[in-house]
Amino acid sequence: MISNSHIILKHAKHYLGLMILSLLTLAVYAQNDNYDVRGGISEGLIAVRSEEKGLWGFVDRNDKLVIRCKFDQVEPFEKGRSIVQFKGFFGVINANDSLIISPIYDDLSSLDNRTFVVQLRELEGAIDHLGRIIIPIEYKKVIAIDEQLIIVKKEENWALANAQGDFKSDYIYKQVYPMREGMVKVKLDRHYGFVDHSGKLLIPAIYDNLKYFSEGYSPAQSNALWGMINRKGEITIDHQYEDIDTFHQGRADVKLDGKHGLINPNGELILPINYQSITPLGKNLIIAEDDQGLLLFDTDGTALSSLYYDKKESNPDLYEIKDHKILVSREGRFGYLHDDGSKFVECQYEDAKAFDGGVAQVALGKKWGLLDQLGHLILKIEYDHISDFKGETAIVSQDSLLGLINRSGRLLTRVQYQEISPVASDLFIIKRDEKYGMMNQYGITTIPEEYSYFNKNLYSTGYLIEKDGKWGYLDKQGATILETIYDHLEVYDKGQNVIVEKNGKAALMNIDKIYKIPYNYDSLSITQERYVRLFKKGKVGLATIDGILLLKPKYEDIRNIEKSSAEVLKRNKWSTIHY
């Protein structure tokens, strides 16, 4: 017998869905937006956010609006469906903007956009791609492990179900782990086993612990010792090790009596169990550490040299492959190997950094220079410091002065500047003889050093400048927008609002010098609520950001500013005034 509460809930969801559909329909009105954020293209559609509304929709490859900007969030289309958030709730639409799942859920997720896990009032369930409930929304936790397997938690135990909502087990599992190579690790009572993607128990839960399958094998622990099993549950390597890692490129690290070695899938030793640690280095090399240092081996376990390398200590670049080169250290001197382990540059430098974009920094006698990809010195070792390259340029320091170099090791400028500050990939603020200017990535001065202040503005893309006590403003390319004629200057909102002061009076204008508030006040400030405080003869007034006067400056202070009211202080008493 169906209870009245179930009937009411069913009809409530029906009417709620109709109401949301109506709201979505009302949101589809003529729209001609600019977009401030764009996503990548997926199935021919691009997610865009309306700059005016802050809401998301989709355009096609030709920038034609296909789905109106009405959603709080959207995910890329996959298999013809997109997860969306509307007025704080989640649902699913198709490419025609039709609802598949009404946005009534507190959360919604999917691995494949065919089966959707939903949350409603802290309970979870699952819905298929046609909008049908396949697992009732009544469980503590529901997780889609892959496209064919869903796990469901009731009280403290888990059950397995397929993508059609058919349960394949009772609530018998203490824990269920992520799938690897089609196998899912499960805990039954105190032991572990594996099920496949259909929920069938393939490897009985008889092990003390298991690790994930990798390359067809899983480390398995029994009676505190580790061995290996295959997908059939057959023991391929006896339980004899203190620990064993998963296979990677046909090799697994094993531990016995506190020492490490390396085995192949047949259990044969590639490296003897003699080392403190074993670490793969790229696809071709292995690093083994013992008390004397580091030895390099190829993947067959053949030593590349009988000589030891230094252990990795403070230099984070050591024994990392970058640009097909490996930075190494032997007896405190640095050099380089090719990524196959063959010698590239002898260990001869007192310090060094990894190759980056075809060049590497090397040091002797606390001075730095540059090597190229052939190991040739392309910048003499005579600089106190070389910065990391940003794009094609780096900054060098010599005797407390700075210069600019490129990746060919060529000096683009003399080493003559007190400061060089990158502000874009192709522009630098420079300082020489206590004056600021700007140069480009070729070292060519684009703005002469004639300013006493030159800095990137916090609230726009341009620069504030000062010359002879007067302030001006440059755009992001360094072109003059406001000449240095102002006693004070503040630029906000990408240039939409500019506070300027001249002859002891302040005004509000935009970057095009269109005035909103004339020079009638002693000073101005913009509030967090985007209103303008007006200061005159020690009193405070208020205007909108567009310059509409709301309150004349006759108050001691103003606070709690809202759309139609604010609190004002007059004669040491606060009151609310409406405007």
Side-chain angles (χ1 to χ4, degrees):
M1 182 175 179
I2 301 174
S3 68
N4 288 335
S5 62
H6 279 84
I7 295 173
I8 291 169
L9 179 61
K10 179 179 177 183
H11 285 290
K13 286 184 178 178
H14 174 72
Y15 290 125
L16 181 59
L18 289 175
M19 182 176 71
I20 289 169
L21 181 60
S22 300
L23 286 170
L24 286 168
T25 304
L26 287 172
V28 182
Y29 49 83
Q31 185 171 319
N32 187 18
D33 284 319
N34 294 318
Y35 309 119
D36 58 351
V37 182
R38 291 174 178 266
I41 190 165
S42 178
E43 298 187 358
L45 295 176
I46 303 165
V48 292
R49 187 175 71 180
S50 165
E51 184 174 16
E52 179 184 353
K53 302 177 182 65
L55 299 176
W56 289 83
F58 289 90
V59 298
D60 63 17
R61 296 175 186 271
N62 299 317
D63 216 35
K64 179 183 177 182
L65 191 63
V66 175
I67 296 175
R68 303 287 175 173
C69 294
K70 58 198 174 192
F71 298 108
D72 307 333
Q73 298 180 47
V74 296
E75 292 188 10
F77 270 90
E78 182 182 352
K79 297 178 181 175
R81 293 174 283 275
S82 169
I83 296 173
V84 297
Q85 185 185 37
F86 180 75
K87 296 189 180 300
F89 295 96
F90 292 89
V92 178
I93 62 171
N94 63 20
N96 296 321
D97 197 15
S98 298
L99 284 174
I100 296 172
I101 299 175
S102 293
I104 61 173
Y105 297 101
D106 301 322
D107 199 5
L108 189 152
S109 62
S110 179
L111 287 177
D112 60 353
N113 267 21
R114 289 185 60 82
T115 303
F116 300 88
V117 174
V118 297
Q119 183 186 79
L120 186 63
R121 300 182 190 92
E122 298 185 357
L123 295 176
E124 297 188 1
I127 298 176
D128 70 11
H129 64 285
L130 298 176
R132 300 175 300 197
I133 294 177
I134 56 175
I135 294 179
I137 306 166
E138 59 187 34
Y139 294 100
K140 187 174 182 179
K141 192 69 180 175
V142 176
I143 301 173
I145 293 288
D146 82 336
E147 296 180 7
Q148 302 180 56
L149 185 64
I150 299 170
I151 61 174
V152 180
K153 189 174 187 180
K154 186 176 182 180
E155 295 178 351
E156 297 305 318
N157 287 346
W158 296 83
L160 309 178
N162 63 21
Q164 289 72 48
D166 303 320
F167 279 76
K168 297 299 181 180
S169 78
D170 292 328
Y171 295 93
I172 58 175
Y173 296 109
K174 296 294 185 184
Q175 189 57 271
V176 183
Y177 296 82
M179 180 178 290
R180 297 289 189 276
E181 296 190 356
M183 303 289 279
V184 179
K185 175 182 167 182
V186 293
K187 184 178 182 181
L188 185 61
D189 295 326
R190 296 182 179 181
H191 292 89
Y192 296 86
F194 280 103
V195 301
D196 65 10
H197 57 76
S198 69
K200 181 180 178 182
L201 189 66
L202 294 184
I203 297 175
I206 59 175
Y207 293 101
D208 300 337
N209 204 351
L210 293 167
K211 298 183 182 181
Y212 292 118
F213 267 89
S214 176
E215 300 181 6
Y217 300 92
S218 167
Q221 186 187 45
S222 181
N223 297 322
L225 294 176
W226 287 86
M228 281 280 186
I229 60 174
N230 62 19
R231 294 172 64 87
K232 297 178 181 179
E234 299 168 337
I235 297 173
T236 59
I237 296 174
D238 290 336
H239 300 279
Q240 56 186 303
Y241 298 108
E242 295 170 13
D243 198 7
I244 184 169
D245 283 345
T246 56
F247 276 107
H248 177 66
Q249 296 180 344
R251 302 179 295 276
D253 188 336
V254 294
K255 184 180 180 182
L256 188 62
D257 297 329
K259 299 290 186 180
H260 292 262
L262 211 59
I263 63 170
N264 64 21
N266 297 322
E268 299 165 340
L269 285 171
I270 298 173
L271 289 181
I273 306 174
N274 294 334
Y275 300 100
Q276 295 171 359
S277 68
I278 293 174
T279 308
L281 181 55
K283 296 180 179 180
N284 303 310
L285 300 174
I286 300 163
I287 299 177
E289 178 181 347
D290 64 17
D291 292 334
Q292 298 182 64
L294 305 180
L295 289 171
L296 284 181
F297 297 87
D298 65 16
T299 54
D300 295 325
T302 303
L304 300 181
S305 171
S306 60
L307 298 176
Y308 280 89
Y309 290 97
D310 301 334
K311 295 183 180 182
K312 186 171 183 175
E313 294 180 349
S314 59
N315 192 326
D317 288 342
L318 270 176
Y319 310 109
E320 300 288 338
I321 298 176
K322 295 183 179 179
D323 280 4
H324 304 288
K325 305 293 187 295
I326 306 167
L327 176 64
V328 295
S329 173
R330 180 177 284 156
E331 297 179 351
R333 294 277 174 163
F334 293 86
Y336 299 88
L337 302 177
H338 292 288
D339 59 2
D340 63 0
S342 60
K343 189 183 297 182
F344 175 53
V345 175
E346 290 280 356
C347 292
Q348 58 184 298
Y349 297 106
E350 295 173 5
D351 202 353
K353 296 184 180 181
F355 269 83
D356 178 22
V359 296
Q361 298 184 32
V362 293
L364 284 171
K366 297 185 179 180
K367 298 292 185 180
W368 289 85
L370 284 183
L371 295 182
D372 68 8
Q373 285 183 314
L374 300 175
H376 297 153
L377 195 64
I378 56 172
L379 184 69
K380 289 182 180 180
I381 302 176
E382 60 184 21
Y383 297 96
D384 302 324
H385 177 74
I386 303 174
S387 74
D388 293 333
F389 276 85
K390 302 294 184 184
E392 294 300 311
T393 57
I395 298 167
V396 295
S397 171
Q398 190 176 51
D399 299 329
S400 300
L401 294 177
L402 306 176
L404 196 66
I405 62 170
N406 63 18
R407 287 188 184 272
S408 300
R410 177 172 170 262
L411 273 170
L412 301 174
T413 70
R414 291 181 178 181
V415 183
Q416 59 180 340
Y417 297 102
Q418 296 167 284
E419 294 179 21
I420 299 178
S421 302
V423 289
S425 60
D426 57 349
L427 289 174
F428 302 83
I429 293 175
I430 52 178
K431 181 182 181 183
R432 184 172 58 167
D433 298 331
E434 303 301 327
K435 295 292 184 180
Y436 292 91
M438 181 175 278
M439 70 178 175
N440 63 21
Q441 75 271 34
Y442 304 112
I444 299 171
T445 300
T446 55
I447 298 176
E449 301 101 275
E450 57 186 22
Y451 298 99
S452 53
Y453 182 91
F454 195 129
N455 214 338
K456 196 167 181 63
N457 189 48
L458 289 176
Y459 307 107
S460 66
T461 57
Y463 306 92
L464 290 176
I465 53 174
E466 182 188 12
K467 183 179 179 181
D468 299 329
K470 298 294 184 180
W471 292 80
Y473 181 76
L474 310 179
D475 69 12
K476 62 181 180 180
Q477 298 301 325
T480 300
I481 303 299
L482 298 175
E483 296 180 355
T484 50
I485 59 174
Y486 301 98
D487 299 331
H488 184 67
L489 180 67
E490 298 173 19
V491 181
Y492 299 93
D493 307 321
K494 299 179 181 179
Q496 293 299 310
N497 297 294
V498 182
I499 293 175
V500 291
E501 292 183 13
K502 289 175 73 174
N503 302 322
K505 295 295 181 181
L508 179 70
M509 64 182 187
N510 64 21
I511 208 73
D512 297 318
K513 300 181 185 179
I514 297 174
Y515 284 86
K516 304 177 183 182
I517 298 175
Y519 288 100
N520 290 338
Y521 303 97
D522 300 333
S523 64
L524 305 174
S525 68
I526 296 176
T527 72
Q528 289 184 342
E529 300 89 352
R530 313 312 294 157
Y531 288 85
V532 183
R533 288 176 179 269
L534 314 170
F535 298 91
K536 190 172 184 178
K537 296 181 179 179
K539 300 295 184 180
V540 186
L542 192 69
T544 69
I545 200 72
D546 296 319
I548 299 171
L549 182 63
L550 300 176
L551 300 172
K552 292 182 178 181
K554 58 183 181 179
Y555 304 100
E556 296 158 30
D557 200 0
I558 298 176
R559 69 183 185 186
N560 295 333
I561 303 167
E562 296 183 3
K563 188 175 181 179
S564 58
S565 67
E567 293 183 14
V568 297
L569 181 65
K570 193 171 184 179
R571 298 188 181 91
N572 295 319
K573 290 185 178 181
W574 287 98
S575 61
T576 299
I577 189 167
H578 295 270
Y579 39 73

